[in-house]
Amino acid sequence: MEIRHPSKTREKPNKRPSMQEVAEAAGVSRSTVSSVLNNRPDCFASQATRQAVRRAIEKLGYRPNLNAKSLAKGRSMTLGVALNGVNIDPVTRTFESFEFQARSRGYYTLATYSPNDAQIEASNLCWLEDRGADGVLCIPTEYGRHEHLLEMKRRGLAVATYDAARRLGLPIDDVSIDHFAGGRMIAEHLLSLGRRRVCIAQFAHLCWVVEQRIAGIQSVMREAGLPPAELLSLSVEAAPQGCWSDAGQREIHAFFDARRGEVDAVAAVGDIIAHGIGGVLRRDGWDIPSDIAVAGYDGSVLSASPLLPLTTAHNPADDAGRIAVEMLMEQMSGADPDRAPRQVELTPKLIVRESTAGSAASP
Amino acid sequence: MEIRHPSKTREKPNKRPSMQEVAEAAGVSRSTVSSVLNNRPDCFASQATRQAVRRAIEKLGYRPNLNAKSLAKGRSMTLGVALNGVNIDPVTRTFESFEFQARSRGYYTLATYSPNDAQIEASNLCWLEDRGADGVLCIPTEYGRHEHLLEMKRRGLAVATYDAARRLGLPIDDVSIDHFAGGRMIAEHLLSLGRRRVCIAQFAHLCWVVEQRIAGIQSVMREAGLPPAELLSLSVEAAPQGCWSDAGQREIHAFFDARRGEVDAVAAVGDIIAHGIGGVLRRDGWDIPSDIAVAGYDGSVLSASPLLPLTTAHNPADDAGRIAVEMLMEQMSGADPDRAPRQVELTPKLIVRESTAGSAASP
DNA sequence: ATGAAAGCGCTAACAC
DNA sequence: GTGTTAGCGCTTTCAT
């Protein structure tokens, strides 16, 4: 005679018990169970009632259905992250920081992954929204207009990007790394060591962040009255570790072999490629850094390799993750959606190691 | 005069439109919209109706609420992964493979992350279940009894582990790597090169997988009638890259300096530590591999470093990810939950590089 | 203090 | 072919 669908679905033996069943077992109503569970401020349940509820929960092994909960509440306490190329050090570190910051604010983090595929990334983003995330961070590593992010924002979702909205001119919160400044600090460092014949190692497939680094380097060269740095463009794929392949190593070898005695420094657009170049050069008999200084970029863990401790521009990923969470939190706390987007640009930090300035760097 | 809560919640301007609103706009009922959207086999909607629905969806920018959908269907088409220590190469690769395999079967992958914290891992797992994942894969990197996984399975969730249930004796599907065999193949390789004074580099904090590798190595030593390999136990943390720290390098230096001319091979329990050892040894003037052979483990990308191409035991992460998905799919397709758990053990693949067998390895 | 009832957005059986 | 209805499991308002 109960008013509403008394627990009649008891066919499946191992079904998760519902709140209704807990209520029945405790001899109270669903709403009481709900109040006790979320200990609402306006819940005046007696200690006896609370005990009964807790015991019933324990006995039945009750677990709340979070989908139902967020459906009813309109909030999920969940933040989504759309990752691209999970193996990329700054991405990983930003994600770890994001997760930590979200967790410490009571939010769970949901990550989706795309192997640097704009299609998949878009569908992941969409899915995170449809799944009920309260906010999403998009960490793209490639080009793409990302206009669907505007749609999401319009629908009321909290949205932020890493290294994207700012450069694309989208009115969306964004935390970026100032790669132009990063390039400059690397170049200034090299020049301060007396190096003059600098070259730049990059991949054929350029992207915005890399162009920025290169522009930063060239601006320093120009200001110093030096000719622009020559470019070594590898035809191999950047990830994963394409520059370490035989083909990549051959290209590196050919380039530097033709310039022996001419170049005295190389600024690579990433630590991985710097590491690879170091390997080839050493094998070819160059001494690092006396014959040639090698600088990386990103401050990835690889840059600390004892085989070639790399001077690098450390990506402040911890800050980036924290700021991204803060941006989302602000939006979720009902900030005016039409306010000017917060777009923060963080500056990398120069880490000097033996690959440019060392004494004990040679084997 | 509509039967049920006609779209009256139109206060918030940017709310996501509901299926009800689409139905109203298209002049049909909710169920018709639902049928068209999911194009059910028993949907006989006319082309005109379908058109109308599609136009309404387009116009309103309708997106389905997946939480509501899974609540109603009892399925979410979602697989969860509880990651630990996202920066660890085999973990990352297994995850990428898992995601790919899940996607190609129409499932989305949800990842949660814990920095190797059993507490957080358990809560993440729980959360994935409560959130409605149809199945979960747990990729732990540490000890822990993981008995809560049994509870989850009992509740009807599809559950699988990576390198866990098998060793813990839990009746749960598991895909593991045969690290004993991996240790053996490394040791056999070293002995086949004529090395006799092998030592093992590991971290103070042992875990099962590492113990297995070591046991594998020692079993080969024993069978060859050689004394057991000596152990270098670093007191630093394994991750991230603790063995590359100054403290780690000092310990490595001290150990080998005291054994110069005595040891002729080192088998490290991971590529990172092998790489670090290589760095210290070279700096100390050892030649690799003529003075000492260095072997890594895992087959991580780092093992391909041109600065020290490492012989290693490659972790078949692609297979592991695929098999994990298959296990979950089988469970989800209504396999008898009490059937014997499928526990697969994959064998690593030996990759021989210059750090043990090379000619051009020395700088 | 407690519980009935309506509702979150969707699905699916069954009438029409 | 299309619409009605009764859920999925939870929250929340409002009587009692």
Side-chain angles (χ1 to χ4, degrees):
Chain A
M1 278 302 108
E2 301 83 338
I3 300 303
R4 196 185 157 157
H5 52 80
S7 49
K8 51 179 143 190
T9 325
R10 204 162 303 136
E11 291 81 44
K12 283 177 86 176
N14 293 334
K15 213 185 62 67
R16 292 164 59 105
S18 71
M19 189 175 269
Q20 171 73 19
E21 295 172 59
V22 172
E24 285 171 13
V28 298
S29 78
R30 286 212 315 269
S31 43
T32 305
V33 175
S34 175
S35 293
V36 170
L37 226 61
N38 301 341
N39 53 103
R40 291 234 215 93
D42 60 334
C43 166
F44 296 100
S46 67
Q47 284 309 319
T49 307
R50 288 173 197 269
Q51 265 307 322
V53 169
R54 266 187 256 286
R55 255 200 303 276
I57 286 177
E58 186 70 27
K59 177 167 143 260
L60 270 55
Y62 168 78
R63 309 247 67 226
N65 179 321
L66 261 27
N67 279 349
K69 179 166 181 161
S70 14
L71 182 56
K73 293 197 62 144
R75 276 205 355 271
S76 65
M77 297 300 281
T78 283
L79 260 26
V81 181
L83 293 174
N84 271 277
V86 74
N87 242 339
I88 296 162
D89 185 273
V91 171
T92 303
R93 287 191 290 127
T94 303
F95 168 65
E96 291 185 73
S97 164
F98 184 93
E99 197 275 345
F100 175 79
Q101 296 290 339
R103 171 179 307 282
S104 64
R105 287 170 174 77
Y107 278 77
Y108 271 84
T109 297
L110 230 44
T112 60
Y113 158 74
S114 111
N116 231 326
D117 176 313
Q119 199 87 16
I120 296 181
E121 175 190 301
S123 96
N124 281 346
L125 238 16
C126 230
W127 186 78
L128 286 169
E129 178 187 4
D130 297 347
R131 197 85 255 174
D134 296 332
V136 299
L137 170 66
C138 176
I139 308 189
T141 59
E142 289 289 337
Y143 270 161
R145 290 292 309 161
H146 297 290
E147 267 145 350
H148 50 283
L149 291 173
L150 279 175
E151 295 293 329
M152 306 180 107
K153 190 181 170 189
R154 198 167 303 136
R155 289 189 215 107
L157 185 70
V159 174
T161 61
Y162 171 87
D163 260 348
R166 182 194 161 89
R167 71 161 204 256
L168 295 170
L170 298 176
I172 289 180
D173 285 5
D174 177 82
V175 50
S176 290
I177 310 298
D178 187 346
H179 294 297
F180 186 85
R184 283 191 63 91
M185 62 182 62
I186 291 286
E188 282 166 356
H189 169 71
L190 292 174
L191 296 192
S192 80
L193 293 170
R195 312 286 168 158
R196 289 295 173 270
R197 307 291 312 269
V198 179
C199 64
I200 297 173
Q202 52 155 349
F203 295 97
H205 179 73
L206 281 182
C207 55
W208 190 82
V209 292
V210 167
E211 286 170 357
Q212 289 302 106
R213 295 168 213 194
I214 294 176
I217 294 169
Q218 300 293 29
S219 77
V220 170
M221 300 300 286
R222 199 178 323 114
E223 290 168 17
L226 294 168
E230 192 179 1
L231 298 184
L232 157 58
S233 278
L234 296 181
S235 65
V236 292
E237 284 295 315
Q241 273 69 348
C243 49
W244 292 0
S245 66
D246 287 346
Q249 293 192 39
R250 266 195 302 274
E251 291 186 39
I252 293 169
H253 165 83
F255 180 88
F256 287 100
D257 210 46
R259 290 162 183 78
R260 205 182 273 264
E262 290 177 18
V263 325
D264 56 12
V266 49
V269 297
D271 291 329
I272 295 174
I273 176 169
H275 186 91
I277 289 171
V280 173
L281 290 179
R282 282 230 182 113
R283 196 167 295 181
D284 287 347
W286 300 58
D287 183 81
I288 301 169
S290 70
D291 294 333
I292 188 168
V294 177
Y297 197 93
D298 281 342
S300 65
V301 284
L302 180 65
S303 69
S305 162
L307 277 157
L308 182 59
L310 284 170
T311 291
T312 191
H314 183 261
N315 183 313
D318 282 7
D319 294 334
R322 178 179 46 75
I323 291 170
V325 170
E326 288 169 357
M327 287 171 165
L328 294 180
M329 301 302 283
E330 190 198 336
Q331 291 178 50
M332 294 182 323
S333 64
D336 170 20
D338 296 322
R339 82 185 200 292
R342 274 186 64 196
Q343 301 195 329
V344 175
E345 203 168 20
L346 303 175
T347 309
K349 188 163 159 288
L350 184 71
I351 298 180
V352 176
R353 294 207 184 90
E354 301 165 21
S355 70
T356 61
S359 43
S362 51
Chain B
M1 279 306 107
E2 301 84 339
I3 299 302
R4 196 185 157 159
H5 51 82
S7 50
K8 51 179 142 191
T9 324
R10 203 164 301 139
E11 291 80 44
K12 284 178 85 176
N14 293 334
K15 211 185 65 67
R16 291 162 60 104
S18 72
M19 189 176 268
Q20 172 73 18
E21 294 172 59
V22 172
E24 285 171 14
V28 298
S29 79
R30 284 212 317 269
S31 46
T32 304
V33 175
S34 175
S35 294
V36 170
L37 226 62
N38 301 340
N39 53 103
R40 291 232 213 96
D42 59 335
C43 167
F44 296 100
S46 67
Q47 284 308 320
T49 307
R50 287 172 198 271
Q51 266 306 324
V53 169
R54 266 187 257 287
R55 256 201 304 275
I57 286 177
E58 187 70 28
K59 177 166 143 261
L60 270 55
Y62 168 78
R63 308 248 68 228
N65 179 323
L66 261 27
N67 279 348
K69 179 167 181 163
S70 18
L71 183 57
K73 294 197 62 145
R75 276 204 357 272
S76 64
M77 296 301 282
T78 284
L79 259 26
V81 180
L83 293 174
N84 271 276
V86 73
N87 242 338
I88 297 163
D89 184 273
V91 171
T92 304
R93 288 192 290 126
T94 303
F95 169 65
E96 291 185 75
S97 165
F98 184 93
E99 197 276 345
F100 175 79
Q101 296 290 341
R103 172 178 307 283
S104 64
R105 288 169 173 77
Y107 279 76
Y108 271 84
T109 298
L110 230 43
T112 59
Y113 159 72
S114 109
N116 231 325
D117 177 311
Q119 200 86 16
I120 296 180
E121 176 192 302
S123 97
N124 281 346
L125 239 15
C126 231
W127 185 80
L128 286 168
E129 179 187 3
D130 297 347
R131 198 85 254 173
D134 296 332
V136 298
L137 170 66
C138 175
I139 308 189
T141 59
E142 289 289 337
Y143 269 161
R145 291 292 309 161
H146 297 291
E147 267 145 350
H148 50 283
L149 292 173
L150 279 175
E151 295 293 328
M152 307 179 107
K153 191 180 169 190
R154 198 167 304 136
R155 288 189 216 107
L157 186 69
V159 175
T161 61
Y162 171 86
D163 260 350
R166 183 194 160 86
R167 71 162 204 257
L168 294 169
L170 298 176
I172 289 179
D173 284 5
D174 176 82
V175 50
S176 289
I177 311 298
D178 187 346
H179 294 296
F180 186 85
R184 284 191 63 92
M185 63 181 60
I186 290 286
E188 282 165 356
H189 168 70
L190 293 174
L191 295 193
S192 80
L193 293 169
R195 311 287 169 158
R196 289 296 173 269
R197 306 291 312 267
V198 179
C199 64
I200 297 173
Q202 52 155 346
F203 294 97
H205 179 73
L206 282 182
C207 54
W208 189 82
V209 293
V210 167
E211 286 170 358
Q212 289 302 106
R213 295 169 213 193
I214 295 177
I217 294 170
Q218 299 293 28
S219 76
V220 171
M221 299 301 285
R222 198 178 325 113
E223 289 168 18
L226 294 168
E230 192 178 359
L231 299 183
L232 158 57
S233 280
L234 296 181
S235 65
V236 292
E237 284 296 315
Q241 273 69 347
C243 48
W244 292 1
S245 66
D246 287 346
Q249 293 193 39
R250 266 195 302 275
E251 291 186 40
I252 293 168
H253 165 82
F255 180 88
F256 287 99
D257 210 46
R259 289 160 182 78
R260 205 182 271 264
E262 289 176 19
V263 326
D264 56 13
V266 50
V269 296
D271 291 328
I272 295 174
I273 176 169
H275 186 91
I277 288 171
V280 172
L281 289 179
R282 281 230 181 112
R283 195 167 296 182
D284 288 347
W286 299 59
D287 182 80
I288 300 169
S290 69
D291 294 334
I292 187 168
V294 177
Y297 197 93
D298 281 342
S300 64
V301 284
L302 180 65
S303 69
S305 162
L307 278 157
L308 182 60
L310 283 171
T311 291
T312 190
H314 184 261
N315 184 314
D318 283 7
D319 294 333
R322 178 180 45 74
I323 290 171
V325 170
E326 288 169 358
M327 287 171 164
L328 294 180
M329 301 303 281
E330 192 200 333
Q331 291 179 50
M332 294 181 324
S333 64
D336 169 20
D338 296 323
R339 82 183 200 292
R342 273 186 65 195
Q343 302 196 329
V344 175
E345 203 168 17
L346 303 174
T347 308
K349 188 162 159 292
L350 184 71
I351 298 180
V352 176
R353 293 206 185 90
E354 301 165 22
S355 69
T356 62
S359 43
S362 51

